Amino acid sequence: MKISFVGSGYVGQVNAAGAAHYGHEVILVDIDPKKVDSLNKGIPTIFEKGLEGLLQELVLKKKTLRATLDLQQAVHATDISLICVGTPDKGGMIDLSYIQQVAKGIGEALKTKENYHVVVVKSTVVPGTSLNTVNVLLEQYSGKKAGIDFGLCMNPEFLREGVAVEDSIHPDSIVLGTQDEKTKKIMREMYAWAEESKFTYVGITAAEAIKYAKNSFLATKITFANEWANFCDAAGIDAKEVLEAIGADRRISPMFLRNGPGYGGSCFPKDVNAIVHAGQVRHSPFRILEEVVAVNHTQYLHLIDLAQEKMGSIARRKVGILGLSFKPETDDTRESPALRIISYLVSQGCEIKAYCPQGMEMAKEMLEERRITEVNYMNSAEECIKDAELVLIPTDWAEFKEIIPKITVPTFIGHRSLVNPDDYAHVYALGYPKR
Ligand code: UDX
């Protein structure tokens, strides 16, 4: 099939590569000429494992993937357009301006398109948006009717950063929200390579809700683990023993039950905020989720508290921070607990050296936007810990396992998966009984 992906961020680039991998002819659309240029050279503009190799093959060798600035032309040249633009958080609410812009553009293109075209909302949007915003604009700008002249589908993405390429090629589940059989059939054909057991067929608004229900459940589960770990700290219990034991119960499962300095990233924080707001607007508040947001917001402080408890005040100390991305294997530092920790330490007059295998550039940019310019960004973990009086490791990059034995000062880790603190006298972890 011929497919266009509108918006060439994480979701667009990875899904476009996945679709071209399965033999479709794919066009990526973006408004940024630099991105389009880079993609046409087979170079991704994000860091995601396996993406560069895949793009090189699809763009340069097989020539089944290309990028363009021309949305109209892309819609005319394809059978399906997937909207993959961002839906950022704007003061706790979802910002739909990119979605609206794209819906207008696709609508205008549909006006002069003869063949049936399916428009798919892949971006995360609060329930009601596909019908009340996207479809209204599509119909208004095309002068056509959904379900008759063109198809509308909501197909949420469930990609995990760091393993997004793998997730797009071998998804756990595919949710198709449609309102007519023809669109459903075309979408099933687009995913012809996937087994039937992976699919959930629902209405458009339910598909939107599924995405939020899934992400807010996982964020709640992590927050549950974090509060239990905080309690275990206070009560002198090893949180790992408790969380692993309850995770062994099949009804609970060990997934997303690891405690840490709080969840971050481009999805959980913004999605939980957006659905909390949607609940408030509809007079059906999500009281549990309101607390999840509040608890997660201060969870990073537990790592600092742990350090203060062991070392006394850490104000004006020399601190090494290892790990800036919100999780390992990604360059994404959005909503990363590490940046919250840095902001706090800067306010305490600490002298900070920071290192991250991938997240340095974005961290620097984001911190500078907040006028935090005092951080020294180092080229290696070794340089980062040199002369430090204490080391904080908020993100569990596997490569830090090697540096931990070489550190001689107190070291505070956010995730127990990194090392077993029992093995090192200088290592302290969240949810680990006090020594
Ligand atoms: C998430 C969802 O998993 C994905 O389905 C959705 O489409 C986008 O958001 P992602 O943000 O890439 O994906 O990261 P994920 O691996 O799910 O982790 C999210 C955050 O939770 C990270 O900050 C991670 O460190 C934290 N986490 C995760 C924990 O603290 N404990 C856990 O047990 C699991």
Side-chain angles (χ1 to χ4, degrees), residues 177-388:
T178 53
Q179 55 184 2
D180 64 280
E181 280 306 312
K182 186 171 177 178
T183 305
K184 185 172 155 188
K185 206 168 143 264
I186 294 173
M187 288 307 292
R188 182 63 183 90
E189 218 177 300
M190 179 183 132
Y191 287 112
W193 45 268
E195 303 154 35
E196 188 55 32
S197 60
K198 302 264 183 210
F199 288 85
T200 306
Y201 302 102
V202 291
I204 287 180
T205 314
E208 294 169 328
I210 288 168
K211 166 75 186 212
Y212 282 100
K214 207 183 234 196
N215 275 358
S216 60
F217 177 80
L218 294 174
T220 305
K221 201 173 170 191
I222 296 167
T223 306
F224 178 88
N226 286 339
E227 284 211 303
W228 262 98
N230 298 343
F231 173 79
C232 287
D233 262 343
I237 305 165
D238 185 347
K240 193 165 185 258
E241 288 179 357
V242 175
L243 294 172
E244 281 181 359
I246 67 166
D249 185 324
R250 273 193 299 148
R251 293 170 303 175
I252 297 175
S253 115
M255 308 286 285
F256 287 80
L257 204 55
R258 280 187 313 119
N259 71 290
Y263 61 78
S266 62
C267 282
F268 286 170
K270 111 177 141 58
D271 292 353
V272 183
N273 273 339
I275 204 65
V276 160
H277 183 261
Q280 285 161 351
V281 168
R282 286 168 181 74
H283 303 291
S284 181
F286 285 103
R287 284 166 48 194
I288 290 180
L289 297 182
E290 287 172 10
E291 285 307 313
V292 166
V293 172
V295 170
N296 193 61
H297 202 72
T298 52
Q299 182 60 22
Y300 74 97
L301 287 171
H302 288 269
L303 198 59
I304 292 164
D305 285 349
L306 183 63
Q308 312 242 45
E309 205 183 291
K310 299 295 167 195
M311 302 186 64
S313 167
I314 58 170
R316 288 177 294 282
R317 301 258 201 162
K318 291 181 181 162
V319 188
I321 308 272
L322 291 175
L324 300 172
S325 53
F326 81 95
K327 67 172 190 180
E329 304 304 328
T330 176
D331 62 345
D332 199 344
T333 60
R334 283 177 285 180
E335 299 289 338
S336 173
L339 300 200
R340 290 193 184 148
I341 288 171
I342 289 179
S343 301
Y344 181 86
L345 294 177
V346 166
S347 78
Q348 298 301 302
C350 294
E351 212 176 287
I352 297 170
K353 284 186 184 170
Y355 170 74
C356 184
Q358 291 291 342
M360 305 257 272
E361 214 173 296
M362 201 190 284
K364 187 163 187 271
E365 204 176 294
M366 289 180 68
L367 287 169
E368 284 180 0
E369 263 170 31
R370 295 177 210 168
R371 304 202 193 299
I372 295 173
T373 51
E374 300 88 337
V375 181
N376 298 298
Y377 299 91
M378 311 311 287
N379 290 321
S380 67
E382 277 79 6
E383 277 178 39
C384 181
I385 60 165
K386 202 164 168 259
D387 304 326

Side-chain angles (χ1 to χ4, degrees), residues 376-410:
N376 298 298
Y377 299 91
M378 311 311 287
N379 290 321
S380 67
E382 277 79 6
E383 277 178 39
C384 181
I385 60 165
K386 202 164 168 259
D387 304 326
E389 292 169 77
L390 69 148
V391 175
L392 298 179
I393 312 185
T395 316
D396 50 340
W397 282 86
E399 63 182 74
F400 296 153
K401 284 180 190 167
E402 283 160 37
I403 192 86
I404 288 174
K406 297 181 196 157
I407 304 175
T408 51
V409 293

